[in-house]
């Protein structure tokens, strides 16, 4: 809310009829997306979880056409096939870099999770065996994670930014704030519930609000940078450009993460990974060119600045229910 007041000079309180969309976005994007990803990492391991993330732009492109968030492009147009080719290239490059990333090792066994930390020895911590059953469960969680995130971006575009009559159509920071409030509500409600389930399974009394000191800084980074700031940038980008173009940049997470691992953790990159990185960049160039060509063929494209003063609106999306 403070960011909304600073960036947009106002804090907008949703009316009762506007609240359901924020509840839906908070539940899908903030709660389900992150919860299912964490469960996917837990059951299937980080390597499989990373390999699933490039599926987000694929799901977004598919559901954008199914639910008519974007117009069906002509099959004979070159930019249609360029966008499809670019999304597949970026996704394939990200999966390739993930599978071949250095330092990949089997998921830890229960014995390797033992520690002398009081925060971990006072309760029962079950670790999956990462057998076929656990991997399938984890993959189902990650499938839900990628679909939830694609629905989050598409729902914002269809129900908020494609409707000029909606009060929040030019206030992305307020949209992010209210989505985050409801997402935090669902997360807060799930936290004690998870502890109660752990207590019932392990027979150990657990405090749902106790956070070990050593994870305080990672949690603060996850809240303010990896979560709040990233969701704000996603929302602002969704207001400016098409949903498929927003999600097309998801595969860039993989090369950026590997680059940081190389610079900070001294992990060595394999030569073939540079090729996959180039494949991601080429794929994104195809998508950007396709989006530009489609907007040019549909007419002049206009944008909404962060200040909130509406100058123009994109033409490559379905802008109103009448066009739908």
């Amino acid at each position: 809310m403070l960011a909304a007041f600073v960036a947009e000079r106002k804090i907008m309180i949703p009316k009762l009829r506007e609240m359901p969309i924020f509840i839906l976005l908070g539940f899908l994007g903030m709660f389900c997306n992150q919860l299912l990803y964490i469960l996917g990492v837990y059951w299937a391991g980080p390597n499989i979880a990373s390999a699933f993330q490039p599926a987000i732009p694929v799901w977004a492109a598919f559901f954008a056409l199914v639910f008519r968030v974007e117009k069906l492009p002509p099959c004979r147009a070159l930019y249609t096939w360029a966008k499809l080719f670019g999304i597949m290239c970026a996704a394939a490059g990200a999966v390739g870099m993930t599978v071949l990333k250095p330092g990949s090792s089997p998921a830890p066994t229960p014995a390797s999770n033992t520690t002398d930390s009081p925060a971990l020895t006072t309760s029962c911590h079950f670790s999956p065996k990462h057998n076929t059953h656990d991997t399938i469960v984890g993959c189902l969680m990650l499938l839900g994670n990628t679909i939830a995130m694609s629905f989050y971006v598409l729902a914002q575009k269809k129900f908020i930014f494609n409707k000029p009559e909606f009060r929040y159509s030019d206030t992305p920071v307020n949209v992010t704030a209210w989505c985050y409030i409801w997402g935090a509500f669902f997360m807060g409600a799930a936290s004690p519930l998870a502890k109660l389930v752990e207590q019932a399974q392990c027979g150990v009394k657990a405090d749902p609000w106790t956070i070990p000191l050593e994870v305080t800084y990672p949690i603060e980074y996850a809240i303010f940078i990896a979560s709040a700031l990233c969701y704000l940038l996603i929302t602002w980008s969704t207001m400016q450009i098409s949903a498929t173009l927003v999600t097309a940049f998801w595969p860039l997470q993989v090369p950026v993460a590997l680059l940081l691992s190389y610079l900070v953790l001294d992990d060595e990159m394999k030569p073939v990974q540079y090729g996959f990185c180039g494949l991601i960049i080429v794929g994104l160039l195809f998508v950007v060119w396709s989006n530009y060509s489609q907007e040019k063929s549909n007419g002049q494209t206009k944008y909404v600045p962060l200040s909130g003063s509406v100058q123009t609106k994109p033409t490559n999306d379905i802008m109103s229910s009448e066009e739908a």
Side-chain angles (χ1 to χ4, degrees):
M1 285 301 176
L2 179 60
F5 179 78
V6 172
E8 297 171 347
R9 298 293 188 269
K10 57 184 175 180
I11 296 178
M12 300 175 63
I13 307 300
K15 298 178 181 178
L16 187 60
R17 66 174 182 273
E18 298 170 336
M19 195 63 74
I21 184 61
F22 294 114
I23 297 176
L24 175 65
L25 291 174
F27 180 75
L28 285 178
M30 313 295 182
F31 178 66
C32 289
N33 170 47
Q34 299 186 62
L35 174 64
L36 293 175
Y37 177 77
I38 293 172
L39 293 177
V41 172
Y42 180 77
W43 288 101
N47 290 343
I48 296 179
S50 300
F52 260 85
Q53 298 312 298
I56 292 177
V58 179
W59 287 122
F62 173 74
F63 289 119
L65 298 179
V66 171
F67 296 107
R68 301 193 66 188
V69 180
E70 298 178 6
K71 293 180 179 179
L72 180 65
C75 295
R76 294 184 179 181
L78 181 60
Y79 58 75
T80 301
W81 296 101
K83 178 179 288 189
L84 179 62
F85 177 76
I87 290 175
M88 298 308 295
C89 279
V95 171
M97 292 191 72
T98 301
V99 173
L100 297 175
K101 69 180 181 180
S104 297
S105 58
T109 60
S112 65
N113 286 334
T114 57
T115 177
D116 295 332
S117 173
L120 297 181
T121 55
T122 56
S123 62
C124 154
H125 286 262
F126 171 73
S127 294
K129 298 178 180 179
H130 294 282
N131 51 29
T132 303
H133 176 269
D134 294 341
T135 303
I136 292 176
V137 172
C139 288
L140 291 176
M141 298 294 179
L142 293 168
L143 181 64
N145 151 241
T146 55
I147 292 177
M149 191 61 208
S150 63
F151 271 126
Y152 171 76
V153 177
L154 294 173
Q156 278 191 340
K157 193 68 175 178
K158 183 176 181 64
F159 298 112
I160 296 180
F161 300 126
N162 276 1
K163 295 183 177 296
E165 69 276 9
F166 194 67
R167 290 194 307 140
Y168 290 84
S169 61
D170 59 350
T171 56
V173 186
N174 272 277
V175 170
T176 305
W178 283 106
C179 294
Y180 212 92
I181 286 175
W182 282 105
F185 169 79
F186 289 118
M187 292 176 189
S191 179
L193 179 62
K195 284 295 183 179
L196 291 176
V197 172
E198 179 183 0
Q199 180 177 345
Q201 291 180 343
C202 305
V204 178
K205 186 177 180 180
D207 182 2
W209 309 111
T210 298
I211 300 176
L213 182 62
E214 59 269 20
V215 301
T216 301
Y217 292 117
I219 289 179
E220 290 178 353
Y221 174 84
I223 293 174
F224 294 105
I225 305 298
S227 186
L229 179 60
C230 287
Y231 275 108
L232 172 60
L233 294 176
I234 290 171
T235 302
W236 184 78
S237 300
T238 303
M239 181 183 66
Q240 301 281 11
I241 57 181
S242 67
T244 53
L245 184 58
V246 172
T247 56
F249 282 84
W250 239 263
L252 273 180
Q253 297 179 79
V254 177
V256 171
L258 290 178
L259 178 62
L260 290 176
S261 297
Y262 173 77
L263 296 175
V264 178
L265 303 177
D266 295 327
D267 285 341
E268 294 294 335
M269 291 182 61
K270 299 178 182 179
V272 68
Q273 289 182 303
Y274 292 101
F276 282 118
C277 181
L279 188 62
I280 294 175
I281 296 174
V282 170
L284 292 178
L285 289 176
F286 269 94
V287 173
V288 172
W289 176 84
S290 170
N291 191 75
Y292 170 78
S293 299
Q294 184 176 0
E295 290 177 346
K296 185 177 179 181
S297 67
N298 291 336
Q300 183 179 5
T301 303
K302 303 176 182 181
Y303 298 97
V304 184
L306 185 59
S307 61
S309 58
V310 180
Q311 295 179 349
T312 65
K313 287 285 185 180
T315 57
N316 66 317
D317 297 321
I318 298 178
M319 298 308 301
S320 65
S321 58
E322 287 81 9
E323 293 181 13

